[in-house]
Amino acid sequence: MAMIAVEDLSVAFGSGESLVHAVDGVSFQVEAGDTFGLVGESGCGKSTILRALSGLNDHWHGQIIIDGARLEPKRQRSFFKKVQMVFQDPYGSLHPRHTVNTTLMEPIAIHGLDRADQRIAQVLEQVGLGPAFRFRYPHQLSGGQRQRVAIARALILEPKILLLDEPTSALDVSVQAEILNLLADIRSQARLTCILVSHDLAVIAHMCHRLAVMNQGKIYEELTVDDLAGNRPRHSYTRQLLQASLGYDRRLAAAATLADDGLDSGAA
Amino acid sequence: MVAAAEAPLLTVEDLSIRFLTPHRIVEAVRGVSFTLGREKVGIVGESGSGKSMTGRAILKLTPANAMVEARALRFQELDIMAATERDMLRVRGRRISLILQDPKFSLDPIMRVGDQIAEAIPPDKREGKARTRECVLEMLAAVRIHNPRRVYDLYPHEISGGMGQRVMIAMMLMPEPAMLIADKPTSALDVTVRMQVLAIIDDLVTRRGLGLVFISHDLNLVATFCDRVLIMYAGRIVESCKASELRHARHAYTQGLLASLPRIAERRPRLAVLNRDPAWLTE
Ligand SMILES: Nc1ncnc2c1ncn2[C@@H]1O[C@H](COP(=O)(O)OP(=O)(O)OP(=O)(O)O)[C@@H](O)[C@H]1O
Ligand SMILES: Nc1ncnc2c1ncn2[C@@H]1O[C@H](COP(=O)(O)OP(=O)(O)OP(=O)(O)O)[C@@H](O)[C@H]1O
Ligand SMILES: [Mg+2]
Ligand SMILES: [Mg+2]
């Protein structure tokens, strides 16, 4: 049975003329222990899907089944424990005047867990930060260390599902490698099921088994990473993404510009 | 490639930038030297390695608490070290343009994009309203806007991100600069739009003979887009090579960066991580 089953999920923002169908009838499933990738242009609805799954957005339509239980848009606290999210920006997502300890205490207090001290020490160890980091403030940490704290905050509630929204986009490639290795270790130790959003197809290919390619709120195609690596995408948009991930190609880039000109020549 | 006889557009010799902070002296750039001809030179290296400060020093736009020293810092005939603020005003945005990461914020939301591009023409080069409009339309066409007449009259919120970036580039090129400094110019763009913007910059370097300093984090992109690459670590250029040969880089730092990249074609269970050697700071 799938750990995550999403059926015909839709999320709209605004109304009347400003109505945006941010997510428009999306369906996919993620098996327990798998990592599922989501890619697509900026604004295509990736974060909105994660926010609906994590309970940060409660005005969605459709069906979400997590670990066998069907969810309602308004849900109880025990659910939030199961699904945790890590965001892109390791600067914005931590409170600047809270120490690492305070940041990690918060979820423990909200959920009334015991053994707070032990849990914090253990989770810091798990994300590769020694006890020395426990009473530091965010400005005393590097970008990679902050992202480790954000991951620790997600792990401290022992979730079953980790939603990763561009977890390494703000980091240098060498720090990215450390964080991706860490996520891979944690994933197998804690038997996590993950969804990973990234604009970098190579990051998706490294971490995932399957991925969905989105555009304007819809899933264009779902494929395995083996199909991606074997250069077998069906959709031209996926092929474009794959091509671009290989670097710059003068001839192809010029051709892409010509094809795109239809966009700005159309009537306003 | 630069012809042997042609003098470089830019000469940087032994550039150092220090910051005096209350606690200590930060050595942001330590003895950087390179020249730029009519070519694309990439600068890569991790966050804080001094890429942006190097670019800013060329325009004399370093922060007020920065101490800049160089044996030579020359753009064409201009001695940048000796230049006054008035000299630099005639250079910035006219003979050297700077493209930054998020151009949309630099467009005025309540002004038609065509008029904004027109304003970028230096006063001494303007030749009447009709001619100015012609110039702007030509420039919009040069950055591959297919229907310049329609786009001229649009406001920034009416164009897409990719078009906004092209409009920005049109503004930067209006004064016909000899050199372009692009500091992560495409990292805010989607990959497909990114390729279009790069194709335009590529064209301009090739056709108009511009010199380009291209600052980036993206090793694959620099390897495939630029002619040469400078690799910076802790304020120094630790290695430079032909972009097409970046894969065979010799310095352990560069090799480490390349090894840490995930690759679609060769997946590995773990990524290599960088083991920083203290010797990289001094050797
Ligand atoms: N709170 C909101 N109010 C109004 N519109 C919103 C809101 N959140 C998202 N949107 C819109 O919904 C669409 C999808 O946004 P979303 O953040 O999910 O995109 P994304 O795929 O995560 O993009 P990116 O790669 O840039 O993060 C966009 O058009 C966005 O402007
Ligand atoms: N105003 C300042 N005061 C003190 N130090 C500064 C100041 N501005 C920059 N620095 C330091 O100068 C060094 C070089 O910074 P620079 O912005 O050139 O890095 P960069 O290579 O462009 O990094 P990134 O890839 O993150 O943009 C950094 O160590 C930075 O902390
Ligand atoms: Mg997002
Ligand atoms: Mg910079």
Side-chain angles (χ1 to χ4, degrees), chain A residues 11-14 18-23 38-51 57 59 88 165-166 197-199 214 216-217, chain B residues 188 190:
Chain A
V11 183
F13 294 104
S18 65
L19 183 74
V20 181
H21 291 284
V23 177
L38 272 183
V39 296
E41 306 255 296
S42 179
C44 72
K46 306 178 297 291
S47 298
T48 305
I49 291 178
L50 297 194
R51 294 172 72 83
N57 177 324
H59 52 276
Q88 164 174 2
D165 197 351
E166 301 266 13
V197 167
S198 175
H199 67 276
M214 290 188 65
Q216 295 185 23
Chain B
D190 289 315

Short mmCIF file of all heavy atoms in Angstrom, two decimals, chain A residues 11-14 18-23 38-51 57 59 88 165-166 197-199 214 216-217, chain B residues 188 190, ligand 1:
data_model
loop_
_atom_site.label_atom_id
_atom_site.label_comp_id
_atom_site.label_asym_id
_atom_site.label_seq_id
_atom_site.Cartn_x
_atom_site.Cartn_y
_atom_site.Cartn_z
N VAL A 11 -5.76 23.13 -5.81
CA VAL A 11 -5.68 24.28 -4.92
C VAL A 11 -5.79 25.53 -5.77
O VAL A 11 -5.06 25.67 -6.75
CB VAL A 11 -4.34 24.32 -4.14
CG1 VAL A 11 -4.33 25.49 -3.16
CG2 VAL A 11 -4.06 23.01 -3.44
N ALA A 12 -6.70 26.41 -5.41
CA ALA A 12 -6.83 27.67 -6.14
C ALA A 12 -6.60 28.82 -5.18
O ALA A 12 -6.87 28.72 -3.99
CB ALA A 12 -8.21 27.77 -6.78
N PHE A 13 -6.07 29.92 -5.70
CA PHE A 13 -5.90 31.14 -4.91
C PHE A 13 -6.68 32.27 -5.58
O PHE A 13 -6.79 32.30 -6.79
CB PHE A 13 -4.44 31.55 -4.83
CG PHE A 13 -3.58 30.58 -4.06
CD1 PHE A 13 -2.73 29.71 -4.73
CD2 PHE A 13 -3.62 30.53 -2.68
CE1 PHE A 13 -1.93 28.83 -4.05
CE2 PHE A 13 -2.83 29.65 -1.98
CZ PHE A 13 -1.97 28.79 -2.66
N GLY A 14 -7.16 33.20 -4.76
CA GLY A 14 -7.85 34.37 -5.30
C GLY A 14 -9.22 34.02 -5.83
O GLY A 14 -9.71 32.89 -5.67
N SER A 18 -8.64 37.35 -10.66
CA SER A 18 -7.31 37.00 -10.15
C SER A 18 -7.23 35.55 -9.72
O SER A 18 -6.29 35.13 -9.04
CB SER A 18 -6.95 37.92 -8.98
OG SER A 18 -7.84 37.69 -7.91
N LEU A 19 -8.21 34.72 -10.08
CA LEU A 19 -8.20 33.31 -9.71
C LEU A 19 -7.01 32.59 -10.35
O LEU A 19 -6.78 32.70 -11.54
CB LEU A 19 -9.51 32.64 -10.15
CG LEU A 19 -9.66 31.17 -9.76
CD1 LEU A 19 -9.96 31.02 -8.27
CD2 LEU A 19 -10.75 30.50 -10.58
N VAL A 20 -6.23 31.87 -9.50
CA VAL A 20 -5.10 31.09 -10.01
C VAL A 20 -5.30 29.63 -9.62
O VAL A 20 -5.45 29.32 -8.43
CB VAL A 20 -3.76 31.57 -9.40
CG1 VAL A 20 -2.60 30.75 -9.96
CG2 VAL A 20 -3.54 33.04 -9.65
N HIS A 21 -5.33 28.74 -10.60
CA HIS A 21 -5.37 27.31 -10.30
C HIS A 21 -3.94 26.83 -10.08
O HIS A 21 -3.31 26.33 -10.99
CB HIS A 21 -6.03 26.54 -11.44
CG HIS A 21 -7.49 26.83 -11.56
ND1 HIS A 21 -8.43 26.29 -10.71
CD2 HIS A 21 -8.18 27.63 -12.42
CE1 HIS A 21 -9.63 26.73 -11.03
NE2 HIS A 21 -9.50 27.55 -12.07
N ALA A 22 -3.45 27.02 -8.87
CA ALA A 22 -2.04 26.72 -8.58
C ALA A 22 -1.77 25.23 -8.74
O ALA A 22 -0.73 24.84 -9.25
CB ALA A 22 -1.70 27.19 -7.17
N VAL A 23 -2.70 24.40 -8.26
CA VAL A 23 -2.60 22.95 -8.46
C VAL A 23 -3.93 22.53 -9.05
O VAL A 23 -4.99 22.88 -8.54
CB VAL A 23 -2.34 22.22 -7.12
CG1 VAL A 23 -2.31 20.71 -7.32
CG2 VAL A 23 -1.02 22.69 -6.51
N LEU A 38 9.69 16.06 -7.55
CA LEU A 38 8.78 16.98 -8.24
C LEU A 38 9.62 18.07 -8.89
O LEU A 38 10.39 18.75 -8.20
CB LEU A 38 7.83 17.65 -7.25
CG LEU A 38 6.51 17.00 -6.86
CD1 LEU A 38 5.76 17.92 -5.90
CD2 LEU A 38 5.66 16.69 -8.08
N VAL A 39 9.50 18.23 -10.21
CA VAL A 39 10.24 19.29 -10.88
C VAL A 39 9.28 20.10 -11.75
O VAL A 39 8.19 19.66 -12.08
CB VAL A 39 11.38 18.76 -11.79
CG1 VAL A 39 12.43 18.06 -10.99
CG2 VAL A 39 10.84 17.86 -12.88
N GLY A 40 9.72 21.28 -12.14
CA GLY A 40 8.91 22.13 -13.01
C GLY A 40 9.27 23.59 -12.83
O GLY A 40 9.94 23.95 -11.86
N GLU A 41 8.81 24.41 -13.76
CA GLU A 41 9.13 25.84 -13.74
C GLU A 41 8.67 26.50 -12.44
O GLU A 41 7.75 26.02 -11.78
CB GLU A 41 8.39 26.55 -14.88
CG GLU A 41 8.62 25.95 -16.23
CD GLU A 41 9.55 26.79 -17.08
OE1 GLU A 41 9.17 27.93 -17.39
OE2 GLU A 41 10.65 26.32 -17.40
N SER A 42 9.25 27.65 -12.16
CA SER A 42 8.82 28.45 -11.03
C SER A 42 7.32 28.75 -11.15
O SER A 42 6.84 29.12 -12.22
CB SER A 42 9.63 29.74 -11.05
OG SER A 42 9.23 30.54 -9.99
N GLY A 43 6.59 28.57 -10.05
CA GLY A 43 5.17 28.89 -10.05
C GLY A 43 4.27 27.79 -10.56
O GLY A 43 3.06 27.98 -10.68
N CYS A 44 4.82 26.60 -10.84
CA CYS A 44 3.97 25.54 -11.41
C CYS A 44 3.17 24.80 -10.34
O CYS A 44 2.33 23.98 -10.67
CB CYS A 44 4.80 24.57 -12.23
SG CYS A 44 5.86 23.50 -11.25
N GLY A 45 3.44 25.07 -9.06
CA GLY A 45 2.59 24.49 -8.01
C GLY A 45 3.26 23.48 -7.10
O GLY A 45 2.60 22.85 -6.28
N LYS A 46 4.57 23.33 -7.19
CA LYS A 46 5.27 22.32 -6.41
C LYS A 46 5.14 22.56 -4.91
O LYS A 46 4.74 21.67 -4.16
CB LYS A 46 6.77 22.29 -6.80
CG LYS A 46 7.02 22.12 -8.28
CD LYS A 46 8.49 22.16 -8.63
CE LYS A 46 9.21 23.47 -8.34
NZ LYS A 46 8.82 24.60 -9.19
N SER A 47 5.48 23.78 -4.48
CA SER A 47 5.40 24.07 -3.04
C SER A 47 3.96 23.98 -2.55
O SER A 47 3.72 23.56 -1.41
CB SER A 47 5.94 25.47 -2.75
OG SER A 47 7.29 25.56 -3.11
N THR A 48 3.03 24.37 -3.39
CA THR A 48 1.62 24.34 -2.98
C THR A 48 1.19 22.90 -2.68
O THR A 48 0.45 22.65 -1.73
CB THR A 48 0.74 24.98 -4.07
OG1 THR A 48 1.23 26.30 -4.34
CG2 THR A 48 -0.70 25.06 -3.63
N ILE A 49 1.67 21.93 -3.46
CA ILE A 49 1.36 20.52 -3.19
C ILE A 49 1.93 20.12 -1.83
O ILE A 49 1.25 19.53 -0.99
CB ILE A 49 1.92 19.61 -4.29
CG1 ILE A 49 1.16 19.83 -5.59
CG2 ILE A 49 1.86 18.13 -3.87
CD1 ILE A 49 1.68 19.02 -6.76
N LEU A 50 3.19 20.48 -1.57
CA LEU A 50 3.81 20.12 -0.29
C LEU A 50 3.08 20.77 0.87
O LEU A 50 2.90 20.16 1.93
CB LEU A 50 5.29 20.51 -0.27
CG LEU A 50 6.23 19.83 -1.27
CD1 LEU A 50 7.68 20.07 -0.87
CD2 LEU A 50 5.96 18.34 -1.36
N ARG A 51 2.66 22.01 0.68
CA ARG A 51 1.97 22.72 1.76
C ARG A 51 0.61 22.07 2.07
O ARG A 51 0.20 22.02 3.22
CB ARG A 51 1.82 24.20 1.42
CG ARG A 51 3.18 24.92 1.37
CD ARG A 51 3.03 26.34 0.85
NE ARG A 51 2.40 27.21 1.84
CZ ARG A 51 3.06 27.79 2.84
NH1 ARG A 51 4.36 27.61 2.96
NH2 ARG A 51 2.42 28.54 3.70
N ASN A 57 -1.57 24.32 4.32
CA ASN A 57 -2.63 24.90 3.50
C ASN A 57 -3.85 24.02 3.69
O ASN A 57 -3.78 22.81 3.52
CB ASN A 57 -2.18 24.91 2.03
CG ASN A 57 -3.26 25.44 1.11
OD1 ASN A 57 -4.44 25.20 1.32
ND2 ASN A 57 -2.85 26.16 0.10
N HIS A 59 -7.06 24.76 2.30
CA HIS A 59 -8.20 24.93 1.37
C HIS A 59 -7.96 24.21 0.04
O HIS A 59 -8.07 24.79 -1.02
CB HIS A 59 -8.56 26.40 1.18
CG HIS A 59 -7.41 27.29 0.81
ND1 HIS A 59 -6.56 27.82 1.74
CD2 HIS A 59 -6.98 27.71 -0.40
CE1 HIS A 59 -5.65 28.54 1.12
NE2 HIS A 59 -5.87 28.50 -0.18
N GLN A 88 13.64 25.62 1.62
CA GLN A 88 14.85 26.01 0.88
C GLN A 88 15.78 26.91 1.67
O GLN A 88 16.98 26.71 1.70
CB GLN A 88 14.44 26.75 -0.41
CG GLN A 88 15.60 27.51 -1.04
CD GLN A 88 15.23 28.12 -2.38
OE1 GLN A 88 14.10 28.01 -2.82
NE2 GLN A 88 16.18 28.76 -3.01
N ASP A 165 11.54 20.86 0.32
CA ASP A 165 11.29 21.86 -0.71
C ASP A 165 12.59 22.58 -1.04
O ASP A 165 13.01 23.48 -0.32
CB ASP A 165 10.22 22.86 -0.22
CG ASP A 165 9.63 23.66 -1.37
OD1 ASP A 165 10.15 23.57 -2.50
OD2 ASP A 165 8.64 24.38 -1.13
N GLU A 166 13.25 22.19 -2.10
CA GLU A 166 14.53 22.78 -2.53
C GLU A 166 15.51 22.84 -1.35
O GLU A 166 16.05 23.91 -1.05
CB GLU A 166 14.31 24.20 -3.08
CG GLU A 166 13.37 24.28 -4.27
CD GLU A 166 14.06 24.22 -5.62
OE1 GLU A 166 15.27 23.88 -5.65
OE2 GLU A 166 13.40 24.50 -6.62
N VAL A 197 11.39 18.36 -3.82
CA VAL A 197 11.22 19.36 -4.88
C VAL A 197 12.58 19.96 -5.18
O VAL A 197 13.30 20.35 -4.26
CB VAL A 197 10.25 20.48 -4.42
CG1 VAL A 197 10.31 21.67 -5.37
CG2 VAL A 197 8.83 19.96 -4.32
N SER A 198 12.96 19.98 -6.46
CA SER A 198 14.21 20.63 -6.82
C SER A 198 14.13 21.10 -8.26
O SER A 198 13.43 20.51 -9.07
CB SER A 198 15.39 19.67 -6.66
OG SER A 198 16.58 20.29 -7.11
N HIS A 199 14.84 22.19 -8.57
CA HIS A 199 14.90 22.62 -9.96
C HIS A 199 16.07 21.93 -10.66
O HIS A 199 16.25 22.07 -11.85
CB HIS A 199 15.05 24.13 -10.04
CG HIS A 199 16.37 24.60 -9.51
ND1 HIS A 199 16.59 24.81 -8.17
CD2 HIS A 199 17.54 24.81 -10.13
CE1 HIS A 199 17.84 25.15 -8.01
NE2 HIS A 199 18.46 25.16 -9.17
N MET A 214 6.06 18.84 -13.69
CA MET A 214 4.85 19.67 -13.63
C MET A 214 4.98 20.90 -14.50
O MET A 214 6.06 21.41 -14.74
CB MET A 214 4.61 20.14 -12.19
CG MET A 214 4.18 19.05 -11.24
SD MET A 214 3.73 19.79 -9.66
CE MET A 214 2.28 20.76 -10.13
N GLN A 216 2.33 24.49 -14.95
CA GLN A 216 1.07 25.20 -14.73
C GLN A 216 0.03 24.38 -13.98
O GLN A 216 -1.11 24.23 -14.42
CB GLN A 216 0.51 25.66 -16.07
CG GLN A 216 1.43 26.69 -16.70
CD GLN A 216 0.86 27.28 -17.97
OE1 GLN A 216 -0.34 27.27 -18.19
NE2 GLN A 216 1.73 27.80 -18.80
N GLY A 217 0.45 23.85 -12.82
CA GLY A 217 -0.50 23.19 -11.94
C GLY A 217 -0.81 21.75 -12.28
O GLY A 217 -1.52 21.08 -11.54
N ALA B 188 18.08 33.16 -11.03
CA ALA B 188 16.68 33.28 -10.62
C ALA B 188 15.74 32.82 -11.74
O ALA B 188 14.53 32.89 -11.60
CB ALA B 188 16.38 34.73 -10.23
N ASP B 190 14.16 30.12 -14.71
CA ASP B 190 13.95 28.71 -15.01
C ASP B 190 14.93 28.27 -16.07
O ASP B 190 15.33 29.06 -16.92
CB ASP B 190 12.53 28.50 -15.51
CG ASP B 190 11.54 28.68 -14.38
OD1 ASP B 190 11.80 28.14 -13.29
OD2 ASP B 190 10.55 29.38 -14.57
N1 LIG C 1 -0.71 32.31 -0.80
C1 LIG C 1 -0.87 32.49 -2.12
N2 LIG C 1 -1.73 33.42 -2.59
C2 LIG C 1 -1.90 33.60 -3.92
N3 LIG C 1 -1.28 32.89 -4.86
C3 LIG C 1 -0.41 31.96 -4.46
C4 LIG C 1 -0.14 31.71 -3.08
N4 LIG C 1 0.79 30.73 -2.98
C5 LIG C 1 1.08 30.39 -4.24
N5 LIG C 1 0.37 31.12 -5.13
C6 LIG C 1 0.44 30.98 -6.60
O1 LIG C 1 0.27 29.64 -6.92
C7 LIG C 1 1.11 29.24 -7.99
C8 LIG C 1 2.00 28.09 -7.59
O2 LIG C 1 2.91 28.54 -6.60
P1 LIG C 1 3.99 27.58 -5.91
O3 LIG C 1 4.64 28.36 -4.83
O4 LIG C 1 3.35 26.30 -5.55
O5 LIG C 1 5.01 27.34 -7.12
P2 LIG C 1 6.37 26.52 -7.13
O6 LIG C 1 6.21 25.48 -8.18
O7 LIG C 1 6.73 26.08 -5.77
O8 LIG C 1 7.40 27.63 -7.66
P3 LIG C 1 8.93 27.93 -7.24
O9 LIG C 1 9.76 26.96 -8.03
O10 LIG C 1 9.14 29.32 -7.71
O11 LIG C 1 9.05 27.77 -5.76
C9 LIG C 1 1.87 30.50 -8.40
O12 LIG C 1 1.20 31.10 -9.47
C10 LIG C 1 1.79 31.36 -7.17
O13 LIG C 1 1.85 32.72 -7.53
#
